[in-house]
């Protein structure tokens, strides 16, 4: 009943051998399993596995690295074998460790007898000399290849990827990875992939991680459910830390038909699925057992948390267990006491509220804390607490990536009323559903990285028909990356520059408007009031006297042509690989017009198809699958999926009155 749980069935007894068999899956999505858009149907991969009677149990391999130094590392491998045959079997189990260059680095071998119907866990240990440690900067991976021999014949083979790394948590040094303190620059996300709905194509999941890494993130929170295996694989390859989360509710519901109806019967199986499936991923550093659980301040919540923590620890004692908690009052102390790391939702909630961490530390000095949710507008205060205090190990913004559902919370607040139509996106993400950075993401660049600079204009009129509400919510300042303000000539506009440079100088049409310091004391923001004149608005950031960064806004003429840019031009001809093509509407000089909303139509030649279109507009009601989309802020997106026939693929974009353009892709069998 939990739509995010990986599950499996042995269908051997149902098969008609020698005949054609059809596997049918009936999907029942009868209630509100989630409080946001979840998708429906088979939206993640399905595998059909054929096994001999003696085989490794599903998720039956558990790899840990209990001892690590620069010279060597011990790799512990537990393998659960199953004999579903009718007679006992003499087994030889061999596990070989392969490094990322394909070289063998160690091996363990066991011989045993398995009786009919018996399960047995085999323990092996391998010493690796000169191990390559997994880290965010260098995500080195190893493979454990397990082979089962019965009477000298190979009857089973399985591969498991893992990393060699050491993690610790404490109040004095915070979170440490391989002995070095790492502050978690984190973000939350839901499971959908924007224009694709919830379809978890490998490339879609990988691209999400790539773009988050490029924006400075080193950690993600899978809110509030287990993600796809493809997403976790991408995190392992690219060096992203993960908080893997199980549930959004336990015994008490948040919607009448949600998971609380099934929790008592299903929690153990669902929790086991998450932990056993995911426990070999080196990127995962914490298990989260819940988010804003309604009974969090009650005895029922404490007892349930103890039960869940115990179950997780029995399956994996190597990682910390946490939960995300809101309404941060002392009555939550017994609940927090059941956890290794205490997850704080909105500890920095308003100006003057940043001392929640500090007060709780004085009251409970042994508590390790992490900001499991924070608001974009509180980015400075939230990150300031992380930098100041070792016992606050990181901050996860709500959200890193925008998502379908919880419509309009980034503009209108929460809870939502029934009049939010036609809003359909949350509109609170640092990165929008197309994968494009929003203004708040550029501010986070200034908080997290050196020599960053971005210039924006505060909109003189609301970007939407309704004004941005001034109550506490998940919004950002209504600013625009554009210098097209016809009708506002010589009228004052507020210019905001986000900068981690030492100082910033602003120019309008090559005339200096002065220099301002940007640092922690200014919250890395500089502002000017500038009478609008068409042309060029340019900010230059300096380190000492040296220019280190430039950000420019230019007035664009009316759109004249389309420009296509593909993130991936070399595709696998596997019926799964994707290319994300950004469409920009530019004037004759190649400048994007930020006001352009022209309809763009797409066509494809070659063995490929359009699987999604988007533009980031949270109020757009257009289809995400038709071969057309209106631009928004001068851009739209088309997603191409390769077929299984290799060859050239040509994607064209046409818009009435504009010159058309094409981009060429190539697919081949790898």
């Amino acid at each position: 009943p939990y739509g995010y749980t990986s599950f499996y069935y042995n269908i051997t007894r149902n098969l008609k051998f020698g005949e054609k068999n059809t596997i049918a899956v009936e999907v029942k999505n009868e209630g509100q399993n989630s409080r946001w858009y979840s998708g429906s149907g088979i939206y993640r991969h399905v595998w059909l596995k054929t096994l001999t009677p003696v085989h490794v149990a599903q998720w039956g391999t558990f790899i840990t690295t209990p001892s690590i130094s620069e010279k060597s590392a011990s790799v512990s491998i537990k393998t659960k074998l199953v004999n579903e045959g009718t007679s006992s079997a003499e087994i030889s189990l061999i596990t070989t460790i392969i490094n990322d260059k394909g070289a063998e680095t160690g091996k363990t071998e066991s011989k045993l007898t398995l009786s009919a119907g018996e399960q047995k866990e085999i323990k092996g240990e391998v010493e690796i000399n000169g191990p390559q440690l997994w880290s965010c900067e260098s995500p080195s991976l190893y493979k454990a290849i397990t082979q089962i021999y019965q009477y000298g014949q190979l009857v089973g083979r399985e591969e498991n990827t893992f990393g060699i790394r050491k993690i610790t948590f404490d109040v004095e040094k915070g979170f440490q990875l391989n002995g070095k303190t790492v502050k978690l620059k984190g973000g939350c996300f839901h499971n959908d992939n924007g224009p694709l709905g919830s379809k978890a194509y490998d490339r879609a999941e990988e691209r999400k991680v790539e773009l988050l890494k490029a924006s400075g993130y080193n950690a993600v929170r899978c809110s509030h459910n287990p993600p796809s295996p493809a997403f976790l694989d991408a995190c392992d390859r690219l060096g992203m830390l993960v908080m893997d989360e199980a549930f959004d509710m336990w015994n008490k519901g948040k919607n009448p038909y949600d998971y609380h109806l099934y929790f008592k019967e299903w929690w153990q199986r669902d929790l086991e699925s998450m932990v056993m499936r995911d426990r070999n991923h080196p990127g995962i550093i914490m298990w989260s057992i819940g988010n804003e659980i309604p009974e969090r301040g009650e005895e029922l919540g404490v007892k349930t948390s103890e039960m869940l923590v115990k179950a997780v620890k029995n399956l994996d004692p190597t990682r910390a267990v946490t939960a995300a908690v809101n309404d941060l009052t002392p009555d939550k102390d017994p609940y927090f006491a059941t956890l290794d790391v205490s997850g704080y939702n909105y500890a920095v909630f308003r100006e003057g509220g940043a001392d929640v961490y500090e007060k709780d530390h004085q009251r409970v000095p042994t508590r390790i804390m992490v900001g499991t949710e924070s608001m974009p507008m509180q980015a400075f205060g939230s990150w300031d607490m992380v930098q100041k205090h070792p016992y606050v190990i990181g901050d996860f913004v709500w959200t890193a990536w925008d998502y379908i559902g919880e419509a309009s919370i980034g503009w209108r607040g929460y809870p939502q009323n029934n009049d939010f139509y036609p809003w359909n996106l949350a509109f609170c993400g640092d990165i929008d559903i197309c994968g494009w950075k929003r203004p708040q993401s550029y501010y986070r660049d200034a908080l997290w990285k050196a020599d960053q600079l971005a210039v924006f204009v505060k909109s003189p009129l609301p970007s939407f028909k309704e004004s941005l509400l001034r109550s506490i919510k998940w919004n950002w300042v209504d600013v625009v990356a554009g210098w097209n303000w016809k009708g506002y000539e010589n009228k004052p506009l507020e210019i905001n520059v986000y900068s981690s440079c030492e100082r910033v100088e602003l120019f309008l049409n090559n005339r200096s408007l002065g220099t301002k310091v940007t640092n922690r004391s200014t919250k890395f923001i500089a502002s000017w009031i500038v009478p609008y004149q068409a042309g060029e608005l340019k900010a230059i950031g300096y380190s000492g006297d040296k220019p280190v960064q430039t950000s420019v806004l230019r007035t664009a003429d009316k759109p004249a042509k389309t420009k296509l840019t593909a993130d991936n031009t070399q595709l696998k001809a596997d019926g799964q690989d994707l290319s994300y093509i950004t469409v920009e509407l530019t004037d004759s000089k190649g400048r994007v017009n930020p006001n352009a909303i022209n309809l763009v139509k797409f066509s494809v030649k070659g063995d490929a198809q359009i699987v999604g279109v988007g533009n980031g507009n949270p109020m757009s009601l257009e289809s995400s699958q038709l071969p057309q989309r209106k631009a928004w802020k001068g851009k739209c997106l088309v997603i191409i999926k390769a077929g299984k026939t290799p060859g050239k693929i040509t994607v064209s974009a046409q818009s009435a009155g504009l010159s058309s353009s094409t981009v060429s892709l190539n697919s081949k069998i790898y």
Side-chain angles (χ1 to χ4, degrees):
Y2 195 35
Y4 304 99
T5 297
S6 291
F7 60 94
Y8 59 93
Y9 286 102
N10 185 339
I11 61 172
T12 306
R13 64 184 179 86
N14 303 102
L15 297 179
K16 297 178 180 179
F17 287 88
E19 300 180 32
K20 180 179 179 180
N21 290 263
T22 300
I23 301 172
V25 178
E26 181 180 10
V27 176
K28 294 182 179 180
N29 194 353
E30 297 172 331
Q32 295 174 318
N33 194 254
S34 300
R35 294 181 293 129
W36 51 90
Y37 170 85
S38 63
S40 189
I42 301 174
Y43 65 101
R44 295 177 181 172
H45 290 316
V46 178
W47 294 269
L48 180 65
K49 299 174 71 173
T50 57
L51 304 167
T52 55
V54 178
H55 57 268
V56 178
Q58 181 71 29
W59 307 318
T61 303
F62 183 26
I63 305 170
T64 59
T65 53
S67 177
I68 298 173
S69 69
E70 292 183 1
K71 294 182 179 180
S72 66
S74 61
V75 178
S76 175
I77 307 164
K78 295 180 180 179
T79 308
K80 183 181 288 187
L81 291 180
V82 180
N83 182 1
E84 295 190 55
T86 57
S87 60
S88 64
E90 300 292 327
I91 302 299
S92 178
L93 178 71
I94 301 174
T95 300
T96 307
I97 306 299
I98 306 295
N99 66 18
D100 57 2
K101 295 180 176 60
E104 180 180 322
T105 60
K107 180 184 290 186
T108 179
E109 182 173 352
S110 301
K111 295 184 183 298
L112 64 146
T113 301
L114 272 182
S115 302
E118 184 181 9
Q119 292 190 19
K120 187 177 291 186
E121 185 174 79
I122 314 303
K123 298 179 181 179
E125 190 165 304
V126 179
E127 287 294 320
I128 305 294
N129 294 321
Q132 299 295 311
L133 302 188
W134 187 96
S135 67
C136 297
E137 298 76 25
S138 181
S140 299
L141 295 172
Y142 289 79
K143 280 185 180 179
I145 301 175
T146 299
Q147 294 174 303
I148 304 172
Y149 289 87
Q150 186 174 356
Y151 307 116
Q153 298 295 315
L154 180 65
V155 296
R157 186 181 188 277
E158 181 177 285
E159 289 189 10
N160 285 280
T161 302
F162 69 99
I164 299 175
R165 54 98 174 108
K166 180 181 179 181
I167 59 173
T168 59
F169 300 82
D170 64 56
V171 293
E172 295 179 352
K173 297 179 181 179
F175 166 68
Q176 290 198 312
L177 177 62
N178 302 325
K180 297 179 181 179
T181 297
V182 176
K183 294 291 190 177
L184 303 180
K185 299 174 180 177
C188 306
F189 71 97
H190 281 321
N191 73 298
D192 74 80
N193 278 307
L196 298 174
S198 287
K199 297 172 188 172
Y201 290 106
D202 289 2
R203 175 55 192 158
E205 304 286 65
E206 179 183 61
R207 175 178 179 262
K208 186 182 290 184
V209 181
E210 286 177 349
L211 294 175
L212 289 171
K213 283 276 289 189
S215 288
Y217 287 91
N218 65 11
V220 291
R221 175 181 173 225
C222 305
S223 46
H224 308 292
N225 48 262
S228 73
F231 180 82
L232 294 175
D233 289 342
C235 289
D236 291 345
R237 290 194 306 273
L238 299 172
M240 183 70 78
L241 302 170
V242 179
M243 181 190 297
D244 201 349
E245 192 159 83
F247 306 121
D248 190 38
M249 69 285 298
W250 297 341
N251 303 284
K252 296 185 178 182
K254 297 179 179 179
N255 285 317
Y257 304 105
D258 65 24
Y259 183 71
H260 83 280
L261 299 175
Y262 311 100
F263 177 77
K264 288 182 180 178
E265 180 184 353
W266 282 89
W267 72 264
Q268 188 166 5
R269 280 173 283 181
D270 290 330
L271 199 63
E272 286 178 352
S273 170
M274 179 184 79
V275 177
M276 293 181 69
R277 186 197 73 174
D278 297 345
R279 59 189 177 179
N280 292 327
H281 288 282
I284 296 174
I285 59 172
M286 285 183 277
W287 303 112
S288 172
I289 55 175
N291 170 68
E292 298 186 351
I293 299 302
E295 60 267 37
R296 59 195 174 277
E298 305 170 12
E299 184 179 357
L300 175 62
V302 174
K303 289 183 176 180
T304 305
S305 181
E306 290 174 339
M307 178 178 70
L308 298 179
V309 171
K310 182 179 179 181
V312 171
K313 294 290 189 180
N314 284 338
L315 296 168
D316 175 22
T318 70
R319 294 176 173 90
V321 180
T322 188
V325 180
N326 59 332
D327 297 332
L328 299 165
T329 49
D331 66 315
K332 310 304 185 307
D333 285 353
Y335 181 18
F336 277 137
T338 67
L339 307 169
D340 299 314
V341 176
S342 298
Y344 277 46
N345 282 8
Y346 310 111
V348 182
F349 198 72
R350 57 180 64 86
E351 293 301 323
D355 61 352
V356 173
Y357 288 123
E358 293 165 348
K359 287 181 178 178
D360 280 10
H361 178 67
Q362 291 173 3
R363 192 178 73 254
V364 191
T366 58
R367 182 178 295 172
I368 304 167
M369 309 174 198
V370 62
T372 34
E373 288 182 26
S374 63
M375 293 180 174
M377 287 293 288
Q378 306 302 334
F380 178 83
S382 299
W383 187 242
D384 195 44
M385 289 291 103
V386 175
Q387 290 184 302
K388 280 182 178 179
H389 303 303
Y391 53 84
V392 183
I393 65 174
D395 178 67
F396 291 77
V397 67
W398 192 269
T399 56
W401 199 284
D402 205 22
Y403 56 99
I404 303 171
E406 292 193 304
S408 79
I409 70 168
W411 189 268
R412 296 158 52 97
Y414 195 93
Q416 304 143 283
N417 295 318
N418 291 326
D419 62 350
F420 60 82
Y421 180 88
W423 289 83
N424 54 81
L425 303 181
F427 201 58
C428 63
D430 275 19
I431 298 173
D432 73 11
I433 63 164
C434 294
W436 302 325
K437 288 166 71 74
R438 296 180 60 220
Q440 65 207 57
S441 181
Y442 290 95
Y443 179 68
R444 206 170 302 280
D445 287 344
L447 288 182
W448 285 350
K449 297 186 282 187
D451 298 335
Q452 299 297 303
L453 185 70
V455 59
F456 293 92
V457 182
K458 193 168 184 179
S459 182
L461 289 174
S463 291
F464 301 97
K465 292 181 180 179
E466 56 194 348
S467 296
L468 180 64
L469 298 179
R470 297 301 170 190
S471 59
I472 294 172
K473 56 197 169 304
W474 290 260
N475 69 290
W476 186 249
V477 183
D478 188 12
V479 293
V480 179
W483 197 236
N484 275 59
W485 300 99
K486 186 176 181 180
Y488 285 87
E489 286 76 11
N490 297 316
K491 294 181 180 179
L493 298 178
E494 181 179 329
I495 311 302
N496 291 339
V497 178
Y498 308 145
S499 167
S500 57
C501 305
E502 292 178 4
R503 58 189 178 91
V504 177
E505 187 172 12
L506 189 67
F507 295 84
L508 177 59
N509 296 327
N510 295 319
R511 177 172 62 88
S512 177
L513 302 180
T515 302
K516 296 190 178 184
V517 172
T518 48
N519 54 32
R520 189 170 173 273
S521 69
T522 68
K523 298 184 178 180
F524 303 100
I525 300 175
S527 297
W528 282 262
I529 300 298
V530 178
Y532 174 65
Q533 295 175 10
E536 179 185 85
L537 186 70
K538 179 170 65 175
I540 299 178
Y542 297 89
S543 176
D545 294 328
K546 180 183 177 182
V548 292
Q549 195 62 263
T550 301
S551 179
V552 180
L553 301 178
R554 295 184 178 93
T555 305
D557 296 327
K558 66 179 182 178
K561 55 186 177 180
T562 58
K563 177 185 176 183
L564 304 186
T565 306
D567 75 328
N568 181 20
T569 59
Q570 302 299 316
L571 301 176
K572 298 175 184 176
D574 60 0
Q576 290 282 311
D577 204 7
L578 305 177
S579 179
Y580 285 75
I581 300 172
T582 297
V583 184
E584 296 175 303
L585 303 186
T586 72
D587 64 12
S588 59
K589 296 180 179 179
R591 298 170 296 198
V592 177
N593 188 310
N595 299 323
I597 57 172
N598 307 51
L599 177 67
V600 182
K601 296 185 177 182
F602 305 105
S603 58
V604 181
K605 292 182 180 179
D607 187 17
Q609 66 180 107
I610 295 170
V611 289
V613 293
N615 60 15
N617 182 355
M619 299 178 73
S620 173
L621 298 176
E622 299 168 90
S623 168
S624 293
Q625 296 189 342
L626 288 178
Q628 63 181 39
R629 190 74 173 200
K630 286 184 178 179
W632 189 59
K633 296 188 176 181
K635 296 197 297 185
C636 59
L637 178 77
V638 58
I639 307 171
I640 304 298
K641 184 178 76 168
K644 294 185 177 181
T645 303
K648 184 178 179 181
I649 300 166
T650 303
V651 182
S652 302
Q654 300 86 28
S655 186
L658 309 184
S659 60
S660 61
S661 57
T662 63
V663 65
S664 294
L665 313 174
N666 185 55
S667 70
K668 61 181 181 179
I669 297 173
Y670 285 83

